[in-house]
Amino acid sequence: MTGTRYTRLVGDIGGTNARFALLAAGSDSPQYEQTLACSEYPDLAAAAARYLATQGNPPVIEAAVALATPIT
């Protein structure tokens, strides 16, 4: 990741797993995808922080997260 400026974090949060990836500035292709078990984190912020820590805490100025939930 050295030399690449990452600006976007994307996430897909389900009942079992949280999936995260980074998108480099100007790119539409997710990179560095990782799946974390939701049961290991108290909330979304903790899971996202852990993911970013495993990626060397790249600079992120935007995020988009999809959450699985029933339609009511």
Side-chain angles (χ1 to χ4, degrees):
M1 292 187 348
T2 302
T4 303
R5 183 170 179 245
Y6 288 89
T7 59
R8 294 182 277 177
L9 170 69
V10 292
D12 177 17
I13 313 304
T16 304
N17 293 307
R19 294 168 185 86
F20 295 100
L22 294 171
L23 280 81
S27 173
D28 291 329
S29 298
Q31 297 182 338
Y32 308 106
E33 297 172 26
Q34 186 175 358
T35 300
L36 304 175
C38 290
S39 62
E40 295 181 15
Y41 302 92
D43 54 35
L44 172 59
R50 175 65 182 145
Y51 168 73
L52 292 171
T54 67
Q55 301 304 317
N57 290 310
V60 173
I61 60 171
E62 295 178 318
V65 179
L67 301 170
T69 185
I71 298 174
T72 58

